[in-house]
Structure formats: structure tokens, C-alpha cells
């Protein structure tokens, strides 16, 4: 049996897939980590505590999954949605009532967005609770804070797009609150709305922010965030001595 396993794991076919032998020795174990793109997200040596489900509760990965799902469903929604005050609401009603799986698509996007906000906050709470914000991870904590603000920004800008009463008044109230910021308040409101009140100019601005500017920054920062997790030596639990 051992001879057969040796023969298979040293064959050219096995090597073309795995590039290392059976991971039953320290060298092959580390090659498993360094030659596989998915495992490579972990450092070469991983403390068993850091991969225990109860440590991170997978909250960062769930946030990432929510972001990917929102990107896919968002791109599909763009096939129907037109950011015009005359057409936006009718589009959404048509999508829900006439387009096959339209309601499912919209709900996946809407509920996914709520879920992402919730899970991002829980992920941040977990990082705080386990003290993983401390050096050398303080930079990644900072990146995380910007990601949280961008997540809330994506949620806020998406809120206006259905152009129903809820959207209209939520954004009217939200931007009025922003206008009370002592120094830049009125300017922030003007930049966001593109005019004195919520209208076509606001819709197109929120649309551009929602589908392009915010997701682009998020994708860049998420890549930086994950790269930093790797460069900081994996999750903070890796530093715990057994
Ligand atoms: C779009 C939002 C975010 C995504 C996709 C994301 C993703 C991830 C992933 C996949 C990990 C590694 C696995 C895990 O801890 O579950 C991680 C770790 C980490 N995240 Fe986030 N994150 C986000 C937001 C945040 C926020 C809001 C903060 C804090 C303000 C934060 C701070 C950190 C820190 C410090 C680590 C390292 C944790 C450790 O070493 O134990 N992240 N993040």
C-alpha cells in the first residue's frame, strides 16, 4: 500500500496537480501551504487555535462572501434598472412582477446588503474582543474601519435607487442630518444631492457612487485587507504559544 501511495504521489500526473508529495513530512506540509493559492492565504505554519471555527467564527469570510454575492446580483440588476426618476420605480415594480426570478434577485441583493452590514459589525466586534487590533495589526484595523464606512456608504446610496417613498424620505432625512456637520455639512449635502433637494441629479450621483465608485474602492481595500492578514502572520491567534 505504502509503495502504491509513493508511486502515485511521485508520478508526473500527481505532481502536475499538487507539486508536492503526500503531506506526511514537514517539507511537504509546508509545500501544501505555499503552492496552493487558497491555502497560501494562510501563513506556512498555522496555529490550530486560529483555524478553530470558534475563533474567527468565519465572520470575515462571510463578509467577503456577501460582498461577492452583492457584486453578482448587483450586476444582474443593472440589466433592468435605469437611474431615471421617471423609470426607476416602474423598473423595480416590473422586475418584481414580470421578470422571471426578478423578485428573488432583488431580495438577494437587498437582504444580502443588510446581512453584510450586520456581519461586518460582528466581524469588527470579534476582532476587538480577541484583541487582534493590536500591533502589528493596527494598520489592518484602520483599513477595516474604512471598509466599514464604505459598506455603510454602499448601503445608504443603494437605498435611494428604488425611488419609492421610503427611499425618497430616507435620503431626504439622511442628507439633512449630514448638513448639520459643523464645517463641511452644507457642502457635503450639496455634493451628494447635486441640488437643493432630492431629485434626478441626486439619483444619478447615488447610482454612480453605488455601482462604481464605492465597490471599486471596496474591492481594492478588501484585497489590501486580505494581503495584510497574510503579511501580519495570519490571524492573531497564530502568535499564541501552545
Ligand atoms: C468589507 C468588509 C470586510 C471584509 C470582507 C473583511 C475580511 C476579513 C477576513 C476574510 C479576515 C480573515 C478571517 C477572519 O478574521 O474572519 C479578516 C481579518 C481581520 N479584519 Fe476584516 N474584513 C472586513 C471589515 C473589517 C472591519 C470593519 C475591521 C475593523 C475595524 C476589520 C479588521 C480586521 C482585522 C484586524 C483582521 C485580523 C484579525 C486577526 O488577526 O485575528 N475588518 N477580515
Amino acid at each position: 500500500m505504502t509503495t502504491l501511495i509513493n508511486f502515485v504521489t511521485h508520478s508526473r500526473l500527481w505532481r502536475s496537480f499538487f507539486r508536492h508529495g503526500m503531506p506526511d513530512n514537514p517539507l511537504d506540509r509546508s509545500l501544501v501551504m505555499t503552492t496552493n493559492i487558497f491555502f497560501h492565504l494562510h501563513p506556512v505554519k498555522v496555529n490550530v487555535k486560529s483555524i478553530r471555527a470558534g475563533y474567527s467564527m468565519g465572520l470575515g469570510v462571510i463578509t467577503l462572501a456577501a460582498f461577492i454575492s452583492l457584486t453578482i446580483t448587483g450586476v444582474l440588476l443593472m440589466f433592468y434598472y435605469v437611474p431615471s426618476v421617471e423609470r426607476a420605480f416602474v423598473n423595480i415594480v416590473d422586475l418584481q412582477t414580470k421578470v422571471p426570478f426578478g423578485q428573488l434577485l432583488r431580495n438577494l441583493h437587498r437582504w444580502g446588503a443588510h446581512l453584510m452590514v450586520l456581519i461586518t459589525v460582528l466581524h469588527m466586534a470579534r476582532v476587538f474582543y480577541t484583541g487582534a487590533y493590536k500591533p502589528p495589526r493596527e494598520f489592518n484595523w484602520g483599513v477595516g474601519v474604512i471598509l466599514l464606512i464604505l459598506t455603510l456608504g454602499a448601503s445608504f446610496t443603494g437605498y435611494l435607487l428604488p425611488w419609492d417613498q421610503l427611499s425618497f424620505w430616507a435620503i431626504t432625512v439622511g442628507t439633512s442630518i449630514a448638513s448639520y456637520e459643523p464645517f463641511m455639512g452644507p457642502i457635503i449635502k450639496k455634493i451628494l444631492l447635486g441640488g437643493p433637494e432630492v431629485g434626478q441629479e441626486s439619483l444619478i450621483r447615488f447610482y454612480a457612487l453605488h455601482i462604481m465608485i464605492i465597490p471599486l474602492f471596496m474591492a481594492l481595500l478588501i484585497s489590501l485587507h486580505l494581503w495584510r492578514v497574510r503579511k501580519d502572520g495570519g490571524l492573531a491567534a497564530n502568535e499564541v504559544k501552545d
Side-chain angles (χ1 to χ4, degrees):
M1 189 65 184
T2 321
T3 332
L4 181 66
I5 291 174
N6 265 340
F7 175 73
V8 172
T9 57
H10 285 89
S11 69
R12 282 191 77 172
L13 185 67
W14 172 279
R15 290 272 165 178
S16 69
F17 276 113
F18 299 110
R19 295 165 204 273
H20 56 78
M22 245 344 219
D24 53 6
N25 58 72
L27 176 64
D28 280 324
R29 272 190 210 119
S30 52
L31 283 173
V32 168
M33 305 306 270
T34 46
T35 57
N36 182 310
I37 174 76
F38 300 109
F39 291 145
H40 188 67
L41 291 174
H42 292 291
V44 173
K45 282 192 172 179
V46 178
N47 186 299
V48 72
K49 284 198 180 87
S50 75
I51 45 174
R52 249 178 225 149
Y55 177 73
S56 71
M57 288 172 269
L59 292 167
V61 176
I62 300 173
T63 315
L64 179 65
F67 177 75
I68 294 170
S69 147
L70 285 165
T71 309
I72 297 169
T73 51
V75 168
L76 292 175
L77 283 171
M78 282 168 66
F79 280 92
Y80 298 99
Y81 181 80
V82 180
S84 132
V85 291
E86 283 90 32
R87 295 181 58 185
F89 179 68
V90 183
N91 266 183
I92 295 288
V93 174
D94 278 357
L95 173 75
Q96 296 213 145
T97 51
K98 296 188 186 142
V99 178
F101 301 108
Q103 183 153 21
L104 176 69
L105 181 63
R106 186 184 177 205
N107 280 340
L108 278 175
H109 197 72
R110 202 174 173 106
W111 286 99
H114 296 325
L115 182 84
M116 184 163 172
V117 171
L118 178 73
I119 302 288
T120 309
V121 173
L122 290 178
H123 169 59
M124 184 168 145
R126 186 294 286 174
V127 170
F128 183 74
Y129 177 69
T130 54
Y133 56 84
K134 291 177 195 162
R137 293 178 178 76
E138 72 275 43
F139 175 77
N140 219 12
W141 172 267
V143 174
V145 172
I146 303 174
L147 276 171
L148 178 67
I149 295 169
L150 288 174
T151 306
L152 296 175
S155 192
F156 183 64
T157 48
Y159 218 79
L160 182 65
L161 304 187
W163 200 251
D164 51 19
Q165 285 293 312
L166 186 64
S167 319
F168 185 87
W169 293 109
I171 303 308
T172 303
V173 172
T175 48
S176 313
I177 294 173
S179 74
Y180 282 100
E181 197 279 331
F183 304 106
M184 303 279 288
I187 299 174
I188 294 174
K189 185 179 173 188
K190 208 167 175 185
I191 291 176
L192 277 177
L193 294 187
E197 57 189 33
V198 179
Q200 177 61 61
E201 293 77 12
S202 330
L203 185 58
I204 203 75
R205 280 171 192 223
F206 274 56
Y207 182 69
L209 282 166
H210 187 76
I211 65 141
M212 183 55 80
I213 299 167
I214 295 179
L216 194 68
F217 275 109
M218 286 187 78
L220 287 173
L221 283 179
I222 290 174
S223 312
L224 176 64
H225 193 61
L226 299 183
W227 179 75
R228 277 314 316 178
V229 170
R230 176 74 174 79
K231 290 291 157 189
D232 290 337
L235 297 189
N238 268 337
E239 280 142 38
V240 179
K241 299 272 171 292
D242 285 319

